Amino acid sequence: MREHALFNMSSGPVQGSARTLRALSQQILYHHDPEFAEIFDACTGKLQRFFKTSGDVIIMQGEALLGLEAAAFCTIEPGDKCLNLVSGIYGHLYAWYIEAFGGQIVEVRTDYNKAIDPADVEKAFAENPDIKIMAVVHSETPSGTVNPIEELCPIAKKYGAITIVDAVSSIGGTEVNVDDWGVDICCIGPQKCLASSPGLAPVAVSEDAWEKMRNKSKPVRYSYMSMLDFKEQWLCEKEKRSFPYTMFTNEVVALDDTLDQVFEEGLENMIARHKAAARMARAGVKGMGLSLWADSEEICGPCATAVKAPDGVDEVKLRRHLYDTYRITISGGFRDLKGKLFRLGHMGPTANPAYVAMQLAMVEKSLHDMGYPVKLGSGVGAALEAI
Ligand SMILES: *Cc1c(COP(=O)(O)O)cnc(C)c1O
């Protein structure tokens, strides 16, 4: 076997529980067998609870980005005005999809260490009441910040727009209420707070979103990215239904078991555990004299804590040292943020005080090894005081 990190505290995919690993290693099922349909239905029902929706949930077979790209493809009519909210890298990248499928972009942008201000969104809609779609990222994983979806989506709904939310790294770590908040298309992945394997793209789809998809001049059908195919071929009468393509059966079995683990722990408890780990990580960062990337602690996310790279420290070398010497994986700055920050991960089983303490201790030790003036124990001590 290949040597891998003993502790994967990256920004995802993250290490799974022993039970999730066992679920992943079960016999491969035939997707047309009734036994698999039963598991798939059960998994879908659990996802509805997880999303807090009584609407439809589909499970697309691919990484989370498939759901996000498909959401744009299936809903955007060429020429549609689409409001794209950008407070980080995933928000910035969403413009690619909007453009690719012919949308006309209206952008509200803020610095990558801040969150979107609802007043700016209200203003954008007041100036462009014909906006048809709004896309927003809930938790901007690369910069460790969150946007106030609970305030942003109701503004869009007031103006009759369809809302597309990237909740990939927020769900399970903080509240996500699809129905109450007016989220029309909510895209997630199992590889962040759920800590399952990354091969699925569960998507919650509202009635308004289905209508928008059906009303396109050329509705997207017979495509791997078609959400309507799933609706019309699978979410129809039970006697007539069949999957639009082969399901990733092992991934579904694992996701289903992972969702059982969520509800055994209690979704609220799981969220509280992630928030506590994030609070502890922030206390540790400040305790060792480093600075949080985010402008204010209120907008710091539950899944990863972004830390400004200290002056004179190459964050790539710091992470390499952590990996080579202590076999810990953490994430760095991604794209525009390269070299500017590193991220402490706390998702899934590692959203736990022991993992956070160990991570802080070894970051301190690594900085110390690299000659950076940090008092050993200062960060981990502050973190322990905070719990
Ligand atoms: C992880 C993640 C995704 C999934 O996409 P990858 O870049 O392939 O990991 C999408 N959006 C957000 C906010 C994520 O954190």
Side-chain angles (χ1 to χ4, degrees):
M1 278 247 286
R2 211 181 261 271
E3 282 263 311
H4 51 76
L6 268 181
F7 303 101
N8 170 5
M9 292 182 298
S10 71
S11 297
V14 300
Q15 59 191 52
S17 70
R19 216 171 121 181
T20 298
L21 301 188
R22 275 198 302 279
L24 272 167
S25 68
Q26 289 181 31
Q27 183 54 280
I28 299 159
L29 299 175
Y30 178 52
H31 67 299
H32 292 307
D33 273 348
E35 185 196 355
F36 181 70
E38 239 171 70
I39 297 169
F40 196 87
D41 286 342
C43 186
T44 305
K46 289 165 204 172
L47 282 168
Q48 287 175 306
R49 265 178 88 187
F50 193 51
F51 277 117
K52 300 215 164 101
T53 182
S54 56
D56 287 327
V57 169
I58 61 173
I59 309 175
M60 302 189 83
Q61 312 293 298
E63 203 265 342
L65 291 183
L66 172 66
L68 287 161
E69 183 169 359
F73 184 31
C74 295
T75 56
I76 296 174
E77 175 71 26
D80 270 356
K81 260 194 196 171
C82 301
L83 175 62
N84 193 37
L85 307 184
V86 182
S87 62
I89 285 165
Y90 282 101
H92 176 75
L93 296 180
Y94 210 77
W96 290 359
Y97 300 146
I98 295 173
E99 267 170 3
F101 303 119
Q104 191 192 327
I105 295 180
V106 177
E107 187 182 81
V108 167
R109 177 179 282 269
T110 187
D111 295 341
Y112 289 5
N113 59 349
K114 296 192 172 72
I116 298 289
D117 183 345
D120 293 338
V121 172
E122 183 71 55
K123 185 160 167 276
F125 273 104
E127 285 167 5
N128 303 274
D130 54 339
I131 288 170
K132 297 287 194 291
I133 290 164
M134 180 183 87
V136 58
V137 177
H138 192 190
S139 159
E140 269 288 358
T141 325
S143 35
T145 56
V146 285
N147 282 314
I149 300 303
E150 66 284 6
E151 293 176 60
L152 302 174
C153 287
I155 300 171
K157 294 307 286 179
K158 189 174 74 187
Y159 285 91
I162 294 294
T163 57
I164 299 173
V165 174
D166 173 344
V168 178
S169 70
S170 59
I171 200 159
T174 190
E175 294 77 10
V176 174
N177 289 310
V178 165
D179 287 359
D180 286 356
W181 296 352
V183 180
D184 290 305
I185 302 183
C186 189
C187 299
I188 66 165
Q191 74 269 36
K192 304 289 167 81
C193 296
L194 277 172
S196 191
S197 99
L200 298 174
V203 187
V205 188
S206 74
E207 273 314 313
D208 287 354
W210 289 130
E211 194 176 294
K212 180 86 175 94
M213 292 183 209
R214 279 188 224 108
N215 289 344
K216 258 183 73 138
S217 51
K218 267 194 251 159
V220 177
R221 289 196 175 90
Y222 308 108
S223 157
Y224 199 64
M225 277 208 279
S226 172
M227 294 189 176
L228 278 175
D229 285 354
F230 226 101
K231 169 80 173 155
E232 292 164 359
Q233 295 173 38
W234 181 253
L235 299 179
C236 57
E237 290 158 66
K238 271 203 173 163
E239 303 72 52
K240 290 195 186 146
R241 69 182 185 171
S242 73
F243 289 113
Y245 37 68
T246 296
M247 297 293 106
F248 295 3
T249 52
N250 288 54
E251 303 264 343
V252 173
V253 166
L255 176 59
D256 182 56
D257 195 286
T258 305
L259 287 162
D260 283 340
Q261 296 168 53
V262 169
F263 295 115
E264 283 165 26
E265 177 181 11
L267 179 54
E268 278 63 39
N269 297 336
M270 176 185 182
I271 290 172
R273 177 165 60 76
H274 280 81
K275 288 187 175 176
R279 245 188 334 268
M280 184 179 167
R282 294 198 294 273
V285 168
K286 291 186 292 179
M288 74 175 97
L290 304 185
S291 304
L292 295 169
W293 169 260
D295 205 34
S296 82
E297 277 202 48
E298 288 82 74
I299 63 162
C300 284
C303 63
T305 296
V307 184
K308 271 186 204 155
D311 283 341
V313 173
D314 178 342
E315 67 89 9
V316 178
K317 285 201 183 125
L318 170 66
R319 287 186 294 114
R320 186 81 221 185
H321 187 85
L322 268 168
Y323 185 84
D324 288 344
T325 316
Y326 306 113
R327 297 190 45 214
I328 294 175
T329 295
I330 64 169
S331 292
F334 171 54
R335 288 181 173 264
D336 299 1
L337 301 174
K338 208 173 169 76
K340 296 183 180 163
L341 58 81
F342 63 88
R343 291 174 283 163
L344 307 177
H346 26 77
M347 283 180 254
T350 66
N352 169 302
Y355 281 99
V356 178
M358 185 263 292
Q359 190 172 190
L360 286 163
M362 299 332 280
V363 166
E364 282 182 352
K365 180 70 178 136
S366 297
L367 285 168
H368 190 266
D369 294 345
M370 291 167 71
Y372 184 81
V374 58
K375 187 171 172 327
L376 291 179
S378 57
V380 72
L384 295 176
E385 302 261 6
I387 50 172

